Every structure is written in structure tokens, then in C-alpha cells.
Amino acid sequence: MSDALDSRPVHSEPADDPDDEWSVPDCPRCGRPVWVVTVTGPGVGTASPCGCPVVPGSLERE
């Protein structure tokens, strides 16, 4: 068994299927991109970075 590194080039190609692309959802209240939802209780959350109140899970896509 050799400890030498594999010198073959690595190639990556973009996905051809547009469904494979991922984007952040928009806030349902202000329309700004939402990166994180902080859940503080049942049915209570805050979208970040905008700070709008949102229902946890309301930004999930099917």
C-alpha cells in the first residue's frame, strides 16, 4: 500500500437539473432573504437577519 497522494486531477461539474439548486427563502413579512430562524417557543420564531417574527417551519419548501 502506498502513502503517495493521488495526482489525478479532480473535476467537478455544475448540476444540470435546476431543481438541484438551493437558495435561501424570502421572509414572508418583508421579502428579505432569511438565513436562520431562531425558535423561542411553540409557534414563535424570529427570522434573521431581518428580525421579523415568523412561525417556525413556515419557510420550509416541499
Side-chain angles (χ1 to χ4, degrees), residues 39-44 56:
V39 178
T40 55
V44 181

Side-chain angles (χ1 to χ4, degrees), residues 13-37:
E13 297 179 15
D16 292 331
D17 187 0
D19 292 335
D20 288 343
E21 293 183 24
W22 181 84
S23 64
V24 296
D26 294 331
C27 175
R29 299 194 89 185
C30 70
R32 292 177 56 191
V34 174
W35 288 93
V36 175
V37 174

